[in-house]
Short mmCIF file of all heavy atoms in Angstrom, two decimals:
data_model
loop_
_atom_site.label_atom_id
_atom_site.label_comp_id
_atom_site.label_asym_id
_atom_site.label_seq_id
_atom_site.Cartn_x
_atom_site.Cartn_y
_atom_site.Cartn_z
N ILE A 86 -2.44 1.63 -10.40
CA ILE A 86 -3.02 2.63 -9.49
C ILE A 86 -4.51 2.42 -9.23
O ILE A 86 -5.03 2.91 -8.25
CB ILE A 86 -2.76 4.07 -9.97
CG1 ILE A 86 -3.32 4.31 -11.36
CG2 ILE A 86 -1.29 4.40 -9.90
CD1 ILE A 86 -3.26 5.74 -11.81
N ASP A 87 -5.18 1.69 -10.08
CA ASP A 87 -6.61 1.45 -9.87
C ASP A 87 -6.88 0.18 -9.08
O ASP A 87 -8.03 -0.19 -8.87
CB ASP A 87 -7.35 1.41 -11.21
CG ASP A 87 -6.89 0.27 -12.11
OD1 ASP A 87 -5.73 -0.18 -11.96
OD2 ASP A 87 -7.68 -0.16 -12.97
N LYS A 88 -5.84 -0.49 -8.59
CA LYS A 88 -6.02 -1.72 -7.82
C LYS A 88 -5.94 -1.43 -6.33
O LYS A 88 -5.49 -0.37 -5.89
CB LYS A 88 -4.97 -2.76 -8.22
CG LYS A 88 -5.11 -3.23 -9.66
CD LYS A 88 -6.46 -3.87 -9.89
CE LYS A 88 -6.60 -4.35 -11.32
NZ LYS A 88 -7.82 -5.05 -11.55
N LYS A 89 -6.33 -2.39 -5.54
CA LYS A 89 -6.52 -2.21 -4.10
C LYS A 89 -5.25 -1.74 -3.38
O LYS A 89 -5.33 -0.85 -2.52
CB LYS A 89 -7.02 -3.51 -3.48
CG LYS A 89 -7.42 -3.35 -2.02
CD LYS A 89 -8.05 -4.62 -1.50
CE LYS A 89 -8.51 -4.43 -0.06
NZ LYS A 89 -9.17 -5.62 0.44
N LEU A 90 -4.11 -2.30 -3.69
CA LEU A 90 -2.88 -1.92 -2.98
C LEU A 90 -2.60 -0.42 -3.14
O LEU A 90 -2.42 0.29 -2.14
CB LEU A 90 -1.68 -2.72 -3.49
CG LEU A 90 -0.32 -2.27 -2.96
CD1 LEU A 90 -0.24 -2.38 -1.45
CD2 LEU A 90 0.79 -3.06 -3.62
N MET A 91 -2.59 0.06 -4.34
CA MET A 91 -2.26 1.46 -4.58
C MET A 91 -3.37 2.39 -4.09
O MET A 91 -3.08 3.47 -3.57
CB MET A 91 -1.97 1.68 -6.07
CG MET A 91 -0.75 0.92 -6.57
SD MET A 91 0.77 1.30 -5.68
CE MET A 91 1.08 2.96 -6.25
N ARG A 92 -4.61 1.99 -4.23
CA ARG A 92 -5.71 2.82 -3.72
C ARG A 92 -5.63 2.95 -2.21
O ARG A 92 -5.81 4.03 -1.65
CB ARG A 92 -7.07 2.22 -4.12
CG ARG A 92 -7.45 2.38 -5.55
CD ARG A 92 -8.93 2.04 -5.80
NE ARG A 92 -9.45 0.99 -4.97
CZ ARG A 92 -9.66 -0.26 -5.34
NH1 ARG A 92 -9.37 -0.64 -6.56
NH2 ARG A 92 -10.16 -1.15 -4.51
N THR A 93 -5.35 1.84 -1.52
CA THR A 93 -5.30 1.84 -0.07
C THR A 93 -4.07 2.61 0.41
O THR A 93 -4.16 3.37 1.38
CB THR A 93 -5.28 0.40 0.48
OG1 THR A 93 -6.36 -0.33 -0.11
CG2 THR A 93 -5.43 0.37 1.98
N LEU A 94 -2.96 2.44 -0.25
CA LEU A 94 -1.76 3.20 0.10
C LEU A 94 -2.02 4.69 -0.07
O LEU A 94 -1.63 5.50 0.77
CB LEU A 94 -0.59 2.74 -0.78
CG LEU A 94 0.80 3.25 -0.44
CD1 LEU A 94 1.18 2.93 0.99
CD2 LEU A 94 1.82 2.65 -1.39
N ASN A 95 -2.71 5.05 -1.14
CA ASN A 95 -3.06 6.44 -1.37
C ASN A 95 -4.00 6.97 -0.27
O ASN A 95 -3.82 8.09 0.23
CB ASN A 95 -3.71 6.60 -2.75
CG ASN A 95 -4.05 8.03 -3.04
OD1 ASN A 95 -5.15 8.49 -2.76
ND2 ASN A 95 -3.09 8.75 -3.61
N MET A 96 -4.99 6.17 0.13
CA MET A 96 -5.90 6.57 1.22
C MET A 96 -5.13 6.79 2.51
O MET A 96 -5.37 7.76 3.23
CB MET A 96 -6.97 5.49 1.45
CG MET A 96 -8.25 5.72 0.73
SD MET A 96 -9.57 4.66 1.36
CE MET A 96 -9.26 3.15 0.49
N TYR A 97 -4.22 5.87 2.81
CA TYR A 97 -3.42 6.00 4.03
C TYR A 97 -2.58 7.28 3.98
O TYR A 97 -2.52 8.04 4.96
CB TYR A 97 -2.50 4.79 4.21
CG TYR A 97 -1.69 4.86 5.48
CD1 TYR A 97 -2.23 4.50 6.70
CD2 TYR A 97 -0.38 5.35 5.45
CE1 TYR A 97 -1.49 4.58 7.87
CE2 TYR A 97 0.36 5.44 6.62
CZ TYR A 97 -0.19 5.06 7.83
OH TYR A 97 0.53 5.16 8.98
N ASN A 98 -1.97 7.54 2.85
CA ASN A 98 -1.14 8.74 2.72
C ASN A 98 -1.96 10.02 2.82
O ASN A 98 -1.50 11.02 3.37
CB ASN A 98 -0.36 8.72 1.41
CG ASN A 98 0.78 7.72 1.45
OD1 ASN A 98 1.35 7.45 2.50
ND2 ASN A 98 1.11 7.16 0.30
N LYS A 99 -3.18 10.01 2.31
CA LYS A 99 -4.05 11.19 2.42
C LYS A 99 -4.40 11.47 3.88
O LYS A 99 -4.57 12.62 4.28
CB LYS A 99 -5.33 10.99 1.61
CG LYS A 99 -5.14 11.21 0.14
CD LYS A 99 -6.46 11.06 -0.60
CE LYS A 99 -6.25 11.26 -2.08
NZ LYS A 99 -7.50 11.06 -2.83
N ARG A 100 -4.52 10.42 4.68
CA ARG A 100 -4.83 10.59 6.11
C ARG A 100 -3.64 11.14 6.88
O ARG A 100 -3.80 11.65 7.97
CB ARG A 100 -5.25 9.26 6.73
CG ARG A 100 -6.59 8.75 6.24
CD ARG A 100 -6.91 7.39 6.82
NE ARG A 100 -6.93 7.38 8.27
CZ ARG A 100 -8.01 7.55 9.03
NH1 ARG A 100 -9.15 7.77 8.44
NH2 ARG A 100 -7.93 7.50 10.32
N HIS A 101 -2.47 10.99 6.32
CA HIS A 101 -1.24 11.43 7.00
C HIS A 101 -0.53 12.47 6.13
O HIS A 101 0.62 12.30 5.76
CB HIS A 101 -0.33 10.21 7.25
CG HIS A 101 -0.96 9.24 8.16
ND1 HIS A 101 -0.86 9.32 9.52
CD2 HIS A 101 -1.75 8.17 7.91
CE1 HIS A 101 -1.55 8.34 10.08
NE2 HIS A 101 -2.10 7.63 9.11
N VAL A 102 -1.27 13.51 5.82
CA VAL A 102 -0.76 14.55 4.94
C VAL A 102 0.41 15.24 5.63
O VAL A 102 0.28 15.82 6.69
CB VAL A 102 -1.84 15.57 4.57
CG1 VAL A 102 -1.28 16.68 3.72
CG2 VAL A 102 -2.99 14.88 3.87
N LYS A 103 1.54 15.12 5.01
CA LYS A 103 2.76 15.78 5.46
C LYS A 103 3.49 16.21 4.20
O LYS A 103 3.10 15.83 3.09
CB LYS A 103 3.64 14.83 6.28
CG LYS A 103 3.01 14.40 7.58
CD LYS A 103 3.90 13.45 8.32
CE LYS A 103 3.16 12.99 9.58
NZ LYS A 103 3.74 11.86 10.20
N THR A 104 4.52 16.95 4.36
CA THR A 104 5.31 17.31 3.20
C THR A 104 5.98 16.04 2.70
O THR A 104 6.76 15.42 3.41
CB THR A 104 6.37 18.35 3.58
OG1 THR A 104 5.72 19.45 4.20
CG2 THR A 104 7.11 18.83 2.36
N CYS A 105 5.65 15.68 1.51
CA CYS A 105 6.20 14.45 0.94
C CYS A 105 7.14 14.83 -0.19
O CYS A 105 6.71 15.29 -1.24
CB CYS A 105 5.08 13.57 0.41
SG CYS A 105 5.69 12.05 -0.32
N LYS A 106 8.41 14.67 0.07
CA LYS A 106 9.41 14.96 -0.95
C LYS A 106 9.71 13.68 -1.73
O LYS A 106 9.72 12.60 -1.15
CB LYS A 106 10.69 15.49 -0.30
CG LYS A 106 10.50 16.79 0.45
CD LYS A 106 11.79 17.25 1.07
CE LYS A 106 12.04 16.46 2.34
NZ LYS A 106 13.21 16.88 3.09
N PRO A 107 9.98 13.81 -3.01
CA PRO A 107 10.37 12.61 -3.76
C PRO A 107 11.70 12.08 -3.26
O PRO A 107 12.48 12.81 -2.64
CB PRO A 107 10.46 13.10 -5.21
CG PRO A 107 10.28 14.56 -5.19
CD PRO A 107 9.90 14.99 -3.83
N ALA A 108 11.97 10.83 -3.52
CA ALA A 108 13.24 10.23 -3.13
C ALA A 108 14.38 10.96 -3.83
O ALA A 108 14.23 11.41 -4.97
CB ALA A 108 13.25 8.75 -3.50
N ASP A 109 15.49 11.10 -3.13
CA ASP A 109 16.66 11.76 -3.71
C ASP A 109 17.12 11.00 -4.94
O ASP A 109 17.15 9.77 -4.95
CB ASP A 109 17.81 11.81 -2.70
CG ASP A 109 17.50 12.74 -1.54
OD1 ASP A 109 16.71 13.68 -1.73
OD2 ASP A 109 18.07 12.52 -0.46
N GLU A 110 17.50 11.74 -5.96
CA GLU A 110 17.95 11.12 -7.20
C GLU A 110 19.26 10.35 -7.03
O GLU A 110 19.53 9.42 -7.75
CB GLU A 110 18.11 12.18 -8.30
CG GLU A 110 16.79 12.71 -8.82
CD GLU A 110 15.89 11.63 -9.39
OE1 GLU A 110 16.38 10.76 -10.13
OE2 GLU A 110 14.69 11.65 -9.09
N ASP A 111 20.06 10.74 -6.04
CA ASP A 111 21.35 10.08 -5.87
C ASP A 111 21.28 8.87 -4.93
O ASP A 111 22.29 8.25 -4.63
CB ASP A 111 22.40 11.08 -5.36
CG ASP A 111 22.03 11.70 -4.03
OD1 ASP A 111 20.85 11.59 -3.62
OD2 ASP A 111 22.92 12.31 -3.39
#
Side-chain angles (χ1 to χ4, degrees):
I86 58 172
D87 63 334
K88 296 299 181 175
K89 188 174 183 178
L90 172 61
M91 296 303 289
R92 286 192 326 257
T93 309
L94 189 56
N95 182 269
M96 265 194 277
Y97 181 82
N98 287 330
K99 282 182 181 178
R100 291 177 58 93
H101 297 273
V102 177
K103 295 179 183 165
T104 306
C105 179
K106 298 180 281 184
D109 292 334
E110 288 301 316
D111 60 346

